[in-house]
Amino acid sequence: MNRDLPAHIAIIMDGNGRWAAERNLPRIAGHSAGVSAVRKVVEECARLKIPHLTLFAFSTENWNRPQEEVGGLMVLLDQYLKKELNTLMKNKVRLTTIGHLEDLPDNVQHTLRDVVKRSAGNEGLTLTLALSYSGRDDILKAVRGAARAVMRGDLSPDDIGPETFSSFLYTRGIPDPDLLIRTSGEQRISNFLLWQVAYTEFWVTDKLWPDFSSEDLHEAIETFRSRERRFGMTSEQVKGGKT
Ligand code: IPE
Ligand code: IPE
Ligand code: MG
């Protein structure tokens, strides 16, 4: 048993479209309902004193969706940030982002930068929104960053280990996720944090994201705490505390 609370929970929030389809509503109604689930989960993680929560909100591949849906999602994101600012501040949440921020509409970039700046001094939960994010792009960005440092003469290729490499990723300074939750029953990573999930515990629920509740979060955390993380060792080694 691992017993500790996860220091970093990452969530692939999936199933908004199916939630809407079940109700004969447009897909955007599902995304709108999904925002309420985000609110609840952020508050609960802050209350539980989880240090890091990363939410996959929009992938680079999601740009290929119908324009109307993409536009609606951008409006929802802008509204969420503006409406939530006070609550985020009250709960001492620090907002950060990962992904190609430059791809987002100017007004959304502006709102994001504002909330990131205002919440920078908060010392509670670090909430990271993955926006226009691709795990492969993250790795490629790190490769380019490391290559540039080598070309400048600031880094020797032989010194590029996991830690140095991680410092070139969008997620630099953020520990790897301990627990990855995916809703809507899909069992795939969909180009989320590829490098970072090397030893992350996965937990999948059939619940669609708008239906995800605090109880589901607690169930995921309890399951995580009951698992034995072996990191390649034997169970006996882990139990004996030997390394
Ligand atoms: C997740 O829900 C939200 C985003 C990807 C932005 P989906 O919109 O993918 O919902 P389904 O998978 O179509 O049900
Ligand atoms: C993953 O969900 C991206 C986000 C939750 C933002 P998708 O719905 O885009 O993933 P696939 O297409 O089912 O793999
Ligand atoms: Mg989906």
Side-chain angles (χ1 to χ4, degrees), residues 12-21 27 30-31 56-59 62 65 69 73 182-184 186 188 208-210:
I12 302 178
M13 311 182 290
D14 199 11
N16 295 350
R18 277 162 280 174
W19 185 94
R27 292 181 57 86
H31 296 312
F56 200 5
F58 196 83
S59 73
N62 290 149
R65 291 191 179 195
E69 181 173 351
L73 276 165
R182 183 161 186 157
T183 56
S184 86
E186 308 296 354
R188 56 176 170 263
L208 304 174
W209 176 250

Side-chain angles (χ1 to χ4, degrees), residues 5-191:
L5 276 181
H8 182 179
I9 300 177
I11 308 184
I12 302 178
M13 311 182 290
D14 199 11
N16 295 350
R18 277 162 280 174
W19 185 94
E22 281 177 0
R23 289 162 181 75
N24 284 319
L25 294 169
R27 292 181 57 86
I28 198 68
H31 296 312
S32 185
V35 175
S36 311
V38 169
R39 226 171 250 135
K40 273 187 261 169
V41 165
V42 171
E43 275 206 36
E44 192 56 12
C45 283
R47 199 184 67 80
L48 293 172
K49 301 205 178 339
I50 303 284
H52 290 273
L53 172 67
T54 299
L55 300 177
F56 200 5
F58 196 83
S59 73
T60 51
E61 292 82 5
N62 290 149
W63 291 112
N64 299 321
R65 291 191 179 195
Q67 226 182 331
E68 194 189 320
E69 181 173 351
V70 171
L73 276 165
M74 294 302 142
V75 170
L76 279 177
L77 174 60
D78 197 61
Q79 282 176 353
Y80 166 78
L81 292 165
K82 285 177 175 155
K83 276 199 206 151
E84 280 310 282
L85 180 62
N86 284 341
T87 314
L88 294 177
M89 297 305 286
K90 195 184 83 202
N91 292 329
K92 301 192 169 48
V93 177
R94 182 172 76 100
L95 184 84
T96 61
T97 62
I98 53 173
H100 296 277
L101 267 243
E102 69 283 3
D103 291 350
L104 300 172
D106 287 344
N107 66 313
V108 179
Q109 286 188 44
H110 181 270
T111 309
L112 270 170
R113 271 197 294 270
D114 186 55
V115 179
V116 167
K117 202 168 117 191
R118 282 173 196 249
S119 67
N122 290 345
E123 287 175 352
L125 173 73
T126 296
L127 168 64
T128 303
L129 294 182
L131 293 164
S132 194
Y133 180 84
S134 146
R136 285 187 168 179
D137 284 2
D138 200 354
I139 292 170
L140 289 171
K141 177 182 117 58
V143 169
R144 282 188 215 104
R148 278 193 206 101
V150 168
M151 284 177 73
R152 281 197 309 270
D154 293 341
L155 182 66
S156 155
D158 296 330
D159 291 336
I160 307 176
E163 235 169 84
T164 306
F165 189 75
S166 294
S167 73
F168 289 102
L169 293 164
Y170 280 117
T171 49
R172 73 179 166 278
I174 301 174
D176 289 342
D178 298 300
L179 170 63
L180 173 73
I181 297 172
R182 183 161 186 157
T183 56
S184 86
E186 308 296 354
Q187 304 194 27
R188 56 176 170 263
I189 195 82
S190 298
N191 206 4

